[in-house]
């Protein structure tokens, strides 16, 4: 630590990425408010804010605070909750969202967060790895960019086409995506455009993402707040075409942004998100003691590298990444199969 004029100079510095993405909505609104003409006697009409809770027409249903009061006075929920959320609340979210689904979501598909904002933070941070990029809509919701730049995840922007009711420019998505693209974010119903994607357009988005091998993050924080003639359809309906992470919260539909309750939900009936957990059935294998032994022999005999599960806390499993060229994946899996046949116990 340096000492200047007898004072310590602290080494503290903020994350410079945060300043770089500093055109925040609230910052601009503060400047606009300060710029008003003091002599104008008319009341200010706030058409720029996203929080209507101060207006009497925007009161949440009394059922909601009553339920919270009951839960509080029950003294049953003062404990630390599980990291993924209280079981009853996860079940309630799964049941609520399943009403719009062709299949039933499980409470295990639901992860509760501190508002949709924390859902964005978690999902974007988890996806950030060196050289990875992610596709965001333009125009979009600035929280995504802020979070990506903090995590050093490259943000690429596809366009929404105003002449087509703000539909996704799927050509620009195809042009932007490459082998390092991890996911594509859609916001439906749209903030800031207010449109709602049709079933047909959602299907096209799902098919495009599936062809590109990237999964979808669907921000549905405005779910069911649909203006115009298109009914709201959740992206998770297409979960068997492409895995979907749905982000949502109670902030907008129930007009309680201060309650900070949101969720991440997986819609992945084919289990793609879990496909890299392979369990070893050791009694079927001759001369293989455990996962490390399996991986060492596989590397020596077949020049295929897979990670023993013990390194990620799951002993006797294998951690296989599928994020390689398709031909290499096929070759690798073929060699693992040959290795297995050589080591399979004779019946
Ligand atoms: C408001 C909003 C969020 C944040 O939701 P909270 O639950 O208030 O954190 C996320 N995405 C979009 C598109 C929003 O408009």
């Amino acid at each position: 630590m340096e000492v200047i004029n007898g004072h310590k100079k602290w080494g503290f510095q903020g994350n410079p990425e945060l300043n770089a993405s500093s055109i925040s909505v609230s910052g601009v609104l503060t400047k606009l408010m300060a710029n008003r003409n003091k002599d104008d006697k008319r009341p200010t009409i706030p058409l720029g804010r996203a929080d209507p809770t101060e207006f009497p027409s925007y009161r949440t249903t009394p059922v909601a605070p009553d339920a919270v009061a009951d839960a509080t006075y029950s003294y049953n929920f003062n404990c630390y909750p599980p990291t993924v959320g209280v079981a009853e609340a996860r079940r309630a979210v799964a049941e609520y969202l399943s009403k719009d689904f062709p299949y039933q979501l499980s409470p295990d598909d639901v992860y509760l967060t501190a508002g949709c904002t924390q859902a964005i933070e978690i999902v974007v941070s988890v996806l950030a790895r060196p050289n990875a990029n992610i596709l965001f809509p333009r125009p979009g919701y600035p929280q995504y960019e802020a979070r990506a730049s903090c995590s050093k995840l490259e943000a690429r922007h596809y366009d929404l086409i105003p002449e087509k009711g703000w539909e996704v420019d799927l050509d620009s998505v195809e042009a932007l995506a490459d082998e390092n693209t991890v996911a594509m974010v859609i916001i439906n119903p749209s903030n800031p455009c207010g449109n709602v994607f049709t079933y047909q357009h959602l299907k096209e988005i799902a098919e495009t993402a599936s062809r590109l091998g990237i999964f979808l993050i669907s921000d549905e924080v405005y779910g069911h707040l649909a203006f115009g003639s298109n009914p709201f359809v959740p992206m998770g309906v297409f979960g068997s075409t492409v895995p979907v992470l749905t982000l949502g919260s109670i902030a907008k539909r129930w007009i309680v942004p201060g309650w900070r309750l949101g969720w991440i939900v997986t819609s992945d009936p084919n289990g793609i998100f879990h496909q890299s957990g392979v369990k070893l059935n050791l009694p079927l294998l001759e001369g293989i003691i455990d996962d490390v032994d399996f991986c060492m022999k596989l590397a020596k005999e077949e020049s295929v590298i897979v990670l023993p599960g013990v390194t990620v806390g799951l002993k006797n499993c294998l951690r296989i990444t599928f994020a390689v060229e398709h031909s290499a994946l096929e070759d690798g899996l073929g060699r693992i199969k040959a290795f297995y046949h050589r080591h399979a116990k004779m019946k």
Side-chain angles (χ1 to χ4, degrees):
M1 192 184 300
E2 272 182 79
V3 178
I4 300 169
N5 298 338
H7 292 285
K8 293 171 192 164
K9 182 172 177 288
W10 297 96
F12 174 80
Q13 282 187 338
N15 183 342
E17 303 292 341
L18 277 173
N19 291 335
S21 55
S22 67
I23 316 175
S24 74
V25 173
S26 55
V28 170
L29 286 178
T30 306
K31 281 191 184 143
L32 292 173
M33 290 297 274
N35 199 38
R36 283 173 301 169
N37 179 355
K38 311 251 170 335
D39 300 328
D40 189 345
K41 297 290 173 251
R42 296 168 301 167
T44 300
I45 300 176
L47 302 181
R49 288 195 56 195
D51 184 345
T53 46
E54 69 185 76
F55 308 122
S57 314
Y58 291 81
R59 283 270 159 83
T60 194
T61 162
V63 177
D66 283 351
V68 171
D70 287 350
T72 308
Y73 285 114
S74 78
Y75 290 86
N76 287 334
F77 299 97
N78 292 341
C79 52
Y80 283 111
T83 319
V84 289
V86 174
E88 291 95 322
R90 296 173 81 197
R91 190 171 324 112
V93 172
E95 278 170 17
Y96 165 66
L97 295 177
S98 292
K99 289 183 192 147
D100 301 312
F101 270 66
Y103 63 94
Q104 190 74 22
L105 288 165
S106 146
D108 293 335
D109 295 321
V110 178
Y111 305 85
L112 297 181
T113 56
C116 189
T117 302
Q118 198 203 11
I120 295 171
E121 281 182 22
I122 291 174
V123 168
V124 172
S125 323
V126 163
L127 292 175
R129 56 172 165 77
N131 301 321
N133 67 74
I134 185 164
L135 309 186
F136 293 147
R138 181 173 47 210
Y141 186 69
Q143 201 76 49
Y144 285 94
E145 281 77 6
R147 200 58 227 174
S149 63
C150 277
S151 303
K152 303 239 184 298
L153 180 62
E154 184 196 343
R156 297 185 179 178
H157 293 91
Y158 66 83
D159 291 311
L160 301 174
I161 312 172
E163 296 79 17
K164 285 187 163 178
W166 301 105
E167 282 195 347
V168 173
D169 180 354
L170 292 171
D171 292 337
S172 77
V173 170
E174 302 250 8
L176 288 171
D178 61 23
E179 69 279 7
N180 290 320
T181 304
V182 286
M184 165 181 178
V185 172
I186 64 164
I187 302 173
N188 180 49
S190 169
N191 180 7
C193 307
N195 63 296
V196 183
F197 292 140
T198 62
Y199 181 94
Q200 183 57 31
H201 188 58
L202 290 170
K203 185 162 177 281
E204 285 163 10
I205 295 171
E207 284 163 356
T208 304
S210 166
R211 197 163 52 248
L212 296 169
I214 59 183
F215 72 86
L216 285 172
I217 298 164
S218 189
D219 181 329
E220 299 177 2
V221 83
Y222 284 98
H224 291 285
L225 293 176
F227 300 101
S229 53
N230 297 343
F232 167 69
V233 178
M235 191 76 220
V237 162
F238 299 98
S240 49
T241 305
V242 62
V244 179
L245 287 182
T246 303
L247 314 187
S249 86
I250 60 172
K252 308 291 164 64
R253 191 174 185 194
W254 283 275
I255 330 174
V256 286
W259 290 12
R260 312 310 301 135
L261 179 70
W263 51 78
I264 302 168
V265 172
T266 54
S267 304
D268 180 27
N270 298 333
I272 309 280
F273 284 135
H274 297 284
Q275 266 184 17
S276 56
V278 179
K279 181 118 182 71
L280 284 179
N281 197 345
L282 288 170
L284 297 180
L285 295 165
E286 192 77 64
I288 304 269
I289 314 165
D290 59 12
D291 53 342
V292 176
D293 192 32
F294 183 100
C295 293
M296 294 296 274
K297 288 182 170 139
L298 182 69
K300 173 151 271 145
E301 295 174 29
E302 297 286 350
S303 302
V304 174
I305 307 298
V306 303
L307 205 60
V310 69
T311 57
V312 291
L314 263 191
K315 188 150 179 60
N316 290 335
C317 287
L318 303 178
R319 196 275 194 181
I320 303 176
T321 176
F322 293 167
V324 294
E325 290 301 329
H326 190 257
S327 55
L329 184 62
E330 226 164 77
D331 189 5
L333 293 176
R335 291 194 224 171
I336 294 174
K337 199 169 174 185
F339 177 85
Y340 165 74
H341 284 302
R342 220 167 34 248
H343 290 271
K345 275 204 179 121
M346 296 294 171
K347 292 263 163 60

